[in-house]
Amino acid sequence: MTHLWKSLLNRNLLALVVFTAALTPQALKAADADGQCPLQNATLRGTYMVTGGGTIVGVGPASAVGTITYDGKGNSVNTFTVSVNGAISRGVTVTGPYTVNRDCTGTLAQSDGTNYDFVVAPDGSTVFWIETDTGTVLSGTEVRFKHLQ
């Protein structure tokens, strides 16, 4: 290649790199502003299968299975069967408000005094949760029964 041709090629390549570098922060900022869950509370709606387990410190192992229904407006109803150190309780029902943030993280406070942090998939299909109350080591998963239109 001639020196002129190399110089033009290098100048065009440099311009492309500078242009890309200038636009990248704007694209990332726009994506961050919208977040992965722009519907926030409406990300969660419908009925989900719930399972979880772990330990209640000083009590023993705990495991639960059931359903939770979210209304898309920040309200939930959770009915489940739980085993705590071998003692079984069926048909336990609790209610509580939830919040989904734009980054797909959220919180749930249930009427029995338990509190949870969670991460929801952007399409609302799956939730991973952990109880945040002192003395508990409990976590689990929720999966929506069917995709909502």
Side-chain angles (χ1 to χ4, degrees):
M1 273 191 221
T2 67
H3 178 67
L4 178 62
W5 182 249
K6 285 182 182 179
S7 177
L8 286 173
L9 183 62
N10 286 340
R11 209 174 312 155
N12 287 340
L13 184 57
L14 179 61
L16 179 61
V17 168
V18 169
F19 182 72
T20 301
L23 290 181
T24 299
Q26 295 303 319
L28 291 175
K29 185 177 178 182
D32 186 53
D34 290 341
Q36 294 293 314
C37 291
L39 298 178
Q40 294 180 282
N41 287 352
T43 304
L44 290 177
R45 55 185 174 57
T47 301
Y48 294 68
M49 300 173 280
V50 182
T51 185
T55 302
I56 300 174
V57 177
V59 176
S63 184
V65 64
T67 62
I68 188 166
T69 301
Y70 297 101
D71 69 356
K73 299 175 185 176
N75 304 296
S76 69
V77 177
N78 182 205
T79 301
F80 55 92
T81 297
V82 63
S83 171
V84 178
N85 203 29
I88 308 297
S89 298
R90 290 184 174 91
V92 178
T93 298
V94 292
T95 61
Y98 70 91
T99 301
V100 176
N101 303 309
R102 290 186 177 279
D103 65 357
C104 297
T105 62
T107 59
L108 170 66
Q110 293 191 321
S111 57
D112 64 354
T114 57
N115 299 282
Y116 302 86
D117 285 351
F118 61 81
V119 178
V120 59
D123 66 356
S125 63
T126 307
V127 178
F128 298 99
W129 57 264
I130 185 167
E131 187 171 344
T132 57
D133 299 307
T134 301
T136 62
V137 186
L138 301 169
S139 63
T141 305
E142 304 171 9
V143 178
R144 189 166 43 211
F145 276 115
K146 64 179 183 176
H147 180 70
L148 299 176
Q149 301 301 328

